[in-house]
Amino acid sequence: MAFMEKPSAGKILLDDTVPLTAVIEASQSLQSHTEYIIRVQRGVSTENSWQVIRRYSDFDMLNNSLLISGLSLPLPPKKLIGNMDREFIAERQKGLQTYLNFITTHHILSSCELVKKFLDTSNYSANYTEIALQQVSMFFRSDPKWEVVEPLKDIGWRIRKRFFLIKNKDQPKERQVLNWADLGPDKFLSDKDLQSTMKLLPTVSHPFICPVTFATASESSALVIRMFGEKGTLRDHICKAKPKEPFLKKYCNPKKIQGLELQQIRTFGRQILEVLKFLHDKGFPYGHLHASNILLDGDTCKLLDIENTLLGLPSYYRPHATQFRKINTTEDIDVYSFGHLLYEMTYGRPPDAVPVDCFPPAPSTSIVSVLQSILSTEACKAGMPAVSQLLQNPLFSDILLFNSERPQFKISTKLKDALKSAKENLERRLQEEQKMIHQHRRLTRAQSHHGSEEEKKKRKILARKKSRQSAYENEEDLSMKCNNSNNSGSGASSPLTSPSSPTPPPTAVEHAPF
């Protein structure tokens, strides 16, 4: 079913997970206001940078929109009198830089549409909600049994993905969720193979995978329908949040977080590892595990968005994975993401930063042991355990699972080969980005070391040594020339007279003090 227009030739698919950095390079005072010139860069390549000009009022509007997050944002306060003074403008520029640093390094804020539009208007000017509504309307015209109940505004973190609560006219009391997504930069399946694989999704049967009612794709986007979970996701449960609330409001600064009990941690952990192993054994790449992608159905976890990798959507934790060269496969990303998930189930919130080498007290020392094997400095450098190894850990292996549903997912050999090739291309792009970041880090460290005060002092001492050595050598050469000149002026030496000897060199060279 072709329900979407073909994209224009040469369409560039941006990776929305690549972080933006923003530096205020200058400020210019006009008659009535001050403009701040911001240099923005995507990733580590200086070639991918541009400038935007913003007034303080623009920062203030952005800040008001971000207040829904519940975070205490460090925007400098307003000032009505004296706001054109040079000293005040310089001080405000420092404050605005601190503000930019905060929002561009916060994992959730940095990826939200409001921040992206503020720093990169040219690439984020489209109205994705309007685009999604147009595409969904086209789909409903071709399949009129569906009807939109309400749009679910901003419940997800992805900019190019929109959600709608819908119902089947034949079952008006049953609510389902339709999500529309633009294809992403990791889409390496051919259009034909993508469509074939999407058609397979409703046939997937597994006790820990949320069933798909309908799925289709075109050359530019995709549409998936599945049941709506009234109880929300695992993260909703941990944060005591309502499922329909905006992502920023629910998860940026939740007020009532609570970790799970030990038995829940073990049960949910075992269920999630089982479904990951099932997908890995099928050669089906996932890479999108996080607490918002797990639906709760009583005491059972059900994995969401198994189509994401097919559509080329980068992982929620991709910015993390690019920092560690040992995380270079979709399986590695799943294990790393499981570490984050286990931490969140245990402590009620994700880790502030990774690696983590000091863990708070946990309900079981076995949990800390597993976390150390995934999130510690040693694990990130040397490598993490496989899913099969985690399943053998007593923390999960002793849990009994009672499932009447038999796992089923039949994939043809041709599609398996296509998925394998797409997975390899996805991992190659990740590894190339990791290599670029690694080289950038080395260069930055070298430049930082070269510019340090200690290095400057060493170079000064070395320069003084060379200068003194050069002066001594010049003096010695001059002395030799003078002696040769004297000898040639007095004629040939008498056989009874020895030629004059040059002045012996000093026994030691004076060294500059350290």
Side-chain angles (χ1 to χ4, degrees):
M1 182 185 302
F3 61 95
M4 287 159 269
E5 297 178 3
K6 189 171 182 177
S8 58
K11 178 182 179 183
I12 299 174
L13 298 175
L14 284 179
D15 185 346
D16 296 327
T17 65
V18 176
L20 299 178
T21 53
V23 178
I24 303 179
E25 294 190 323
S27 60
Q28 50 190 15
S29 297
L30 304 180
Q31 286 186 348
S32 60
H33 64 274
T34 302
E35 293 181 338
Y36 299 91
I37 302 171
I38 308 170
R39 182 176 61 82
V40 187
Q41 181 174 308
R42 176 175 284 106
V44 297
S45 174
T46 55
E47 296 178 358
N48 198 0
S49 61
W50 60 93
Q51 284 187 346
V52 293
I53 296 177
R54 293 286 181 259
R55 298 170 56 174
Y56 176 82
S57 58
D58 298 323
F59 280 91
D60 189 47
M61 287 177 62
L62 172 66
N63 191 68
N64 288 335
S65 300
L66 294 178
L67 289 178
I68 190 176
S69 67
L71 294 168
S72 179
L73 303 172
L75 182 71
K78 294 180 180 180
K79 185 177 181 180
L80 298 178
I81 300 175
N83 58 7
M84 299 298 289
D85 295 343
R86 184 176 299 178
E87 291 183 0
F88 171 76
I89 292 173
E91 191 64 28
R92 172 174 276 182
Q93 181 173 325
K94 292 180 182 178
L96 292 177
Q97 184 63 63
T98 301
Y99 181 79
L100 286 174
N101 293 343
F102 182 90
I103 64 176
T104 55
T105 55
H106 191 281
H107 184 63
I108 296 178
L109 291 183
S110 61
S111 60
C112 81
E113 187 174 1
L114 294 167
V115 173
K116 296 286 189 182
K117 282 188 174 182
F118 182 81
L119 296 174
D120 189 8
T121 307
S122 61
N123 282 311
Y124 294 92
S125 59
N127 187 329
Y128 293 106
T129 300
E130 185 63 31
I131 294 172
L133 279 170
Q134 292 174 2
Q135 306 297 352
V136 170
S137 297
M138 293 174 65
F139 166 68
F140 284 166
R141 284 203 296 268
S142 62
D143 195 345
K145 68 180 179 182
W146 300 101
E147 181 181 329
V148 173
V149 176
E150 63 175 303
L152 299 173
K153 294 182 179 180
D154 304 322
I155 66 166
W157 66 276
R158 292 189 186 277
I159 295 174
R160 305 164 202 273
K161 194 171 190 177
R162 292 295 184 266
F163 299 84
F164 302 88
L165 196 64
I166 65 172
K167 65 181 179 181
N168 189 322
K169 292 179 181 178
D170 298 332
Q171 298 170 308
K173 293 184 178 181
E174 193 174 74
R175 296 294 181 261
Q176 301 199 45
V177 172
L178 180 152
N179 70 68
W180 170 89
D182 205 357
L183 302 183
D186 282 327
K187 187 258 183 184
F188 293 108
L189 284 173
S190 68
D191 293 340
K192 183 179 178 181
D193 288 335
L194 174 59
Q195 184 63 271
S196 299
T197 312
M198 293 292 282
K199 286 181 179 179
L200 282 178
L201 295 184
T203 70
V204 177
S205 175
H206 194 283
F208 309 131
I209 293 179
C210 186
V212 172
T213 304
F214 177 84
T216 188
S218 75
E219 299 92 340
S220 63
S221 54
L223 182 151
V224 179
I225 299 174
R226 50 171 56 90
M227 294 301 298
F228 176 67
E230 297 287 347
K231 294 182 179 179
T233 65
L234 179 55
R235 183 165 288 163
D236 290 332
H237 177 72
I238 291 172
C239 297
K240 310 302 178 188
K242 297 178 181 179
K244 294 182 182 179
E245 288 182 330
F247 198 86
L248 290 183
K249 182 178 181 179
K250 290 194 292 185
Y251 305 138
C252 270
N253 190 28
K255 305 301 182 184
K256 298 180 180 180
I257 59 172
Q258 183 178 352
L260 306 182
E261 296 179 357
L262 178 59
Q263 189 61 27
Q264 282 184 309
I265 294 171
R266 299 181 68 197
T267 301
F268 291 167
R270 172 67 186 273
Q271 293 172 354
I272 293 161
L273 290 171
E274 286 286 351
V275 72
L276 290 178
K277 187 174 186 304
F278 171 78
L279 293 173
H280 294 175
D281 290 345
K282 291 290 182 179
F284 191 91
Y286 184 52
H288 292 268
L289 178 66
H290 57 86
S292 295
N293 266 355
I294 298 170
L295 204 63
L296 282 186
D297 183 10
D299 292 328
T300 303
C301 284
K302 292 190 179 285
L303 210 61
L304 291 168
D305 290 358
I306 62 172
E307 72 276 3
N308 277 3
T309 299
L310 305 177
L311 307 181
L313 305 181
S315 166
Y316 181 72
Y317 288 117
R318 194 174 191 281
H320 293 239
T322 55
Q323 306 301 313
F324 306 107
R325 301 185 76 177
K326 284 292 182 181
I327 307 174
N328 52 31
T329 67
T330 53
E331 289 86 352
D332 292 336
I333 292 176
D334 282 335
V335 172
Y336 176 79
S337 303
F338 180 79
H340 275 260
L341 178 62
L342 181 60
Y343 189 104
E344 191 169 347
M345 288 194 294
T346 304
Y347 302 113
R349 56 181 176 80
D352 294 327
V354 176
V356 183
D357 291 314
C358 184
F359 295 88
S364 168
T365 55
S366 299
I367 294 177
V368 175
S369 177
V370 174
L371 289 173
Q372 287 173 334
S373 72
I374 300 173
L375 300 179
S376 67
T377 301
E378 179 63 24
C380 291
K381 287 183 177 179
M384 300 167 296
V387 169
S388 56
Q389 292 174 306
L390 289 172
L391 277 168
Q392 294 171 5
N393 190 294
L395 183 65
F396 309 112
S397 63
D398 294 342
I399 296 295
L400 297 177
L401 300 178
F402 303 96
N403 305 308
S404 56
E405 186 179 356
R406 183 179 177 183
Q408 184 176 345
F409 191 7
K410 293 183 179 179
I411 310 176
S412 68
T413 303
K414 181 184 176 183
L415 278 183
K416 278 186 177 181
D417 292 340
L419 286 170
K420 181 180 178 182
S421 176
K423 176 178 176 292
E424 289 171 351
N425 284 323
L426 182 158
E427 292 169 352
R428 191 175 297 114
R429 189 176 88 87
L430 172 62
Q431 291 160 17
E432 287 171 355
E433 188 170 339
Q434 288 172 331
K435 182 179 179 181
M436 187 185 303
I437 291 174
H438 180 69
Q439 290 172 344
H440 175 74
R441 279 179 175 173
R442 291 182 62 182
L443 178 61
T444 302
R445 282 197 298 265
Q447 290 172 341
S448 177
H449 179 69
H450 187 73
S452 67
E453 290 300 321
E454 185 179 354
E455 280 300 303
K456 287 180 181 178
K457 185 177 180 181
K458 286 182 180 179
R459 288 198 297 274
K460 284 182 180 179
I461 293 172
L462 183 60
R464 283 156 61 186
K465 284 183 179 180
K466 288 183 177 180
S467 177
R468 294 190 181 193
Q469 182 67 27
S470 177
Y472 161 71
E473 290 174 353
N474 289 339
E475 185 181 339
E476 190 177 49
D477 290 344
L478 183 61
S479 176
M480 289 288 290
K481 287 179 182 179
C482 289
N483 288 334
N484 290 338
S485 176
N486 291 336
N487 289 339
S488 60
S490 59
S493 302
S494 167
L496 300 176
T497 307
S498 301
S500 60
S501 302
T503 306
T507 57
V509 178
E510 183 182 357
H511 290 269
F514 287 90

